[in-house]
Amino acid sequence: MKTKIAVAKGDGIGPEIMAAVLRIFEAANVPLDYEYVEMGKSYFDAGHSTGMTAAAKETIERLGLLFKGPMETPKGKGVKSINVTARKVWNTYANQRDFRSLNGVDTVFSKAGIPINLTIVRENIEDTYGGIEHLLTNDVAVGRRIITRPGSAQVIRYAFEMARRKGYTKLACGHKANIMKLTDGLFLETFYEIAMEYPDIESSDIIVDDLCMKLVSRPEIFQAIVLTNLQGDIVSDLCAGLVGGLGFAPSANIGDNISIFEAVHGTAPDIAGRGIANPTALLLSGILMLRYLGFTTAAANIENSLLYTLEQGIHTGDFGDKAVASVNTETFADAVIANLGQVPAKGEVIAQPDMEVKANHDHPLKNKLTVTSTTTTEEMVGVDVFVESSKQPNELAEIAQSKQTDIFKLVMISNRGTQVWPTGSIFTELVNEYRIRFEKKDGTEITQKEILQIAAELSEDLKVCSVEFLMKFDGKIGYTLAQGQ
């Protein structure tokens, strides 16, 4: 019996490298069948706003697995990235990218004799990749950063399970909780809660800027790192640079029902159709996919052949010894096929699973909704009203104070997150968007209607851009203070 998967060839060099990889799979007798789906730039151009046809979406949801080449999102047309959309729509919440030193791929670290073997696990759904942005004034744009407890728990638990499968003894959480105290704070808190379930794995955390410094100076001290989406995106590309570039960086996007394996490098339109592209990243992603499907022997056989081929100095034009003639895509694939059964002198791969066991693919009848606690005590304590104004802080405070009621008191006004009233500095430069904070007076209770009413009162004199409730959860404040407050 063969396993059927969906395949999208991709844009630019995508069809060339996909053909090379599938030819290697065939030569290795991998029991796969392929159903090709229509996705990519040409489908954007044809009027499909998601970059894929309805038939492609149905096929992927039916088969539960997509193997895809690099894809281009048209620029300047107001469309979302097809890569990000696919990951989010199908809830592939964990992005796993493995980075290792490869013989035949020279880097600063390989020349220094420092081996690299680490894995980045990136949250794949949330963060700023929600793409929720608004222009509140002509000068002020705001983007929402969404970090949830269920989303954090999903990817963090995946990272611990992955570390255990790979035999890692350490897992670090990269974060910026010293600045983003609620969002990254929630991610870090969830990390340590789940870490208690894995006493065999040493858990630690590191601020992301310090992490980046250490990765480029001492990468060998890390085994696995889990991060939020944006930070993970940046750090994973940094790690690709440590091992030779995106051409050697596999990527797996894992979900409970659908998973995506892809090359994350660009479409390289400048060399498309010339048959000279490097298929290594897509091949490594395909090897991850084979392990995910349980084809661990075939995965080890192909990876050993690839490592042996690189060790022999065979290379495409984008890497390798320039004194040795480069080969084209087809010849590189031919070499990997010819070397099936060979093992490298260093780094032989043993047939064992190091990916998530394939998910139980089913077709849910309704959208899954996860709430971690139904016993949390919630209390409304105030409101932040964001307004457009070119007035000075004291002038704005006079207007806001005139709207105070028996239950609300004006607490603070800030500009770009820095308090400018009741105290501030004349040297703080302003833009035309302010935050006005009202809190309830002691001994009072407030309702949603009353919160919205005070915003409505402000709207009589000022343009109200947005409103955020101030909440306490189990007695802990669910909002941040302004700089200088």
Side-chain angles (χ1 to χ4, degrees), residues 52-295:
M52 71 180 85
T53 64
K57 180 175 181 291
E58 186 279 327
T59 296
I60 295 163
E61 292 182 352
R62 171 168 46 84
L63 298 177
L65 195 146
L66 172 64
F67 187 36
K68 64 182 281 294
M71 291 186 181
E72 178 184 350
T73 299
K75 296 179 177 63
K77 296 187 178 181
V79 296
K80 300 279 189 178
S81 162
I82 188 171
N83 301 306
V84 175
T85 297
R87 297 167 197 158
K88 288 172 63 63
V89 167
W90 292 317
N91 207 61
T92 60
Y93 52 82
N95 174 241
Q96 178 180 330
R97 294 175 67 181
D98 298 333
F99 304 96
R100 61 182 294 191
S101 301
L102 299 171
N103 293 325
V105 183
D106 288 337
T107 68
V108 171
F109 296 99
S110 67
K111 291 177 181 178
I114 300 173
I116 296 172
N117 185 13
L118 65 91
T119 299
I120 301 294
V121 177
R122 161 192 170 193
E123 196 286 318
N124 221 16
I125 305 297
E126 302 180 342
D127 205 342
T128 52
Y129 287 69
I132 304 172
E133 298 182 313
H134 296 89
L135 200 62
L136 299 187
T137 79
N138 188 57
D139 295 336
V140 180
V142 173
R144 282 183 176 266
R145 184 171 194 253
I146 299 173
I147 304 293
T148 70
R149 200 178 301 275
S152 298
Q154 273 188 317
V155 69
I156 290 167
R157 191 174 302 282
Y158 176 87
F160 275 105
E161 289 292 331
M162 178 278 304
R164 182 174 280 173
R165 283 193 307 275
K166 282 179 170 284
Y168 289 161
T169 59
K170 299 188 294 185
L171 175 64
C173 177
H175 64 89
K176 196 66 176 172
N178 57 324
I179 301 299
M180 294 177 283
K181 297 182 184 298
L182 292 183
T183 49
D184 269 28
L186 177 60
F187 191 82
L188 183 59
E189 177 185 305
T190 305
F191 174 79
Y192 278 117
E193 287 174 354
I194 293 176
M196 295 175 66
E197 303 172 24
Y198 297 85
D200 52 317
I201 298 173
E202 178 186 334
S203 304
S204 63
D205 68 272
I206 181 169
I207 294 173
V208 70
D209 37 351
D210 186 29
L211 170 63
C212 291
M213 181 184 70
K214 285 185 169 64
L215 280 169
V216 299
S217 58
R218 300 171 61 203
E220 72 278 7
I221 68 175
F222 296 101
Q223 294 180 356
I225 307 164
V226 61
L227 303 105
T228 55
N229 202 340
L230 178 60
Q231 294 168 19
D233 192 0
I234 296 167
V235 170
S236 58
D237 275 14
L238 181 154
C239 290
L242 302 179
V243 297
L246 292 174
F248 305 96
S251 179
N253 303 284
I254 305 300
D256 287 338
N257 294 299
I258 298 171
S259 294
I260 304 169
F261 296 81
E262 62 183 340
V264 291
H265 56 67
T267 59
D270 55 321
I271 63 169
R274 295 170 58 188
I276 59 174
N278 179 3
T280 302
L282 187 62
L283 179 57
L284 287 170
S285 299
I287 290 167
L288 289 180
M289 178 183 68
L290 297 184
R291 292 196 177 97
Y292 173 84
L293 292 169
F295 303 141

Side-chain angles (χ1 to χ4, degrees), residues 308-321:
Y308 180 85
T309 300
L310 294 172
E311 200 174 69
Q312 299 305 303
I314 299 171
H315 65 94
T316 50
D318 57 317
F319 76 99
D321 186 350

Side-chain angles (χ1 to χ4, degrees), residues 204-430:
S204 63
D205 68 272
I206 181 169
I207 294 173
V208 70
D209 37 351
D210 186 29
L211 170 63
C212 291
M213 181 184 70
K214 285 185 169 64
L215 280 169
V216 299
S217 58
R218 300 171 61 203
E220 72 278 7
I221 68 175
F222 296 101
Q223 294 180 356
I225 307 164
V226 61
L227 303 105
T228 55
N229 202 340
L230 178 60
Q231 294 168 19
D233 192 0
I234 296 167
V235 170
S236 58
D237 275 14
L238 181 154
C239 290
L242 302 179
V243 297
L246 292 174
F248 305 96
S251 179
N253 303 284
I254 305 300
D256 287 338
N257 294 299
I258 298 171
S259 294
I260 304 169
F261 296 81
E262 62 183 340
V264 291
H265 56 67
T267 59
D270 55 321
I271 63 169
R274 295 170 58 188
I276 59 174
N278 179 3
T280 302
L282 187 62
L283 179 57
L284 287 170
S285 299
I287 290 167
L288 289 180
M289 178 183 68
L290 297 184
R291 292 196 177 97
Y292 173 84
L293 292 169
F295 303 141
T296 56
T297 300
N301 185 24
I302 295 170
E303 188 166 3
N304 281 326
S305 175
L306 171 63
L307 297 177
Y308 180 85
T309 300
L310 294 172
E311 200 174 69
Q312 299 305 303
I314 299 171
H315 65 94
T316 50
D318 57 317
F319 76 99
D321 186 350
K322 299 305 179 185
V324 177
S326 62
V327 300
N328 61 25
T329 310
E330 188 172 346
T331 303
F332 187 86
D334 287 340
V336 174
I337 291 169
N339 291 328
L340 288 168
Q342 300 288 345
V343 296
K346 297 180 180 179
E348 178 183 355
V349 178
I350 307 300
Q352 58 184 14
D354 63 359
M355 284 294 299
E356 185 78 29
V357 176
K358 189 177 188 310
N360 293 321
H361 178 60
D362 58 19
H363 294 269
L365 299 177
K366 60 182 180 180
N367 294 96
K368 179 182 177 182
L369 175 65
T370 302
V371 180
T372 58
S373 173
T374 57
T375 61
T376 303
T377 301
E378 299 183 4
E379 179 187 6
M380 285 183 286
V381 296
V383 62
D384 279 344
V385 184
F386 295 83
V387 301
E388 179 177 352
S389 177
S390 297
K391 296 181 182 295
Q392 286 293 303
N394 286 337
E395 297 176 293
L396 199 61
E398 289 181 11
I399 296 173
Q401 286 173 323
S402 72
K403 309 300 181 183
Q404 293 182 120
T405 67
D406 291 340
I407 57 174
F408 284 110
K409 60 183 177 181
L410 177 64
V411 173
M412 177 272 294
I413 299 175
S414 70
N415 193 286
R416 290 193 287 185
T418 301
Q419 178 174 282
V420 294
W421 186 93
T423 60
S425 170
I426 197 68
F427 293 99
T428 301
E429 296 188 7
L430 310 174

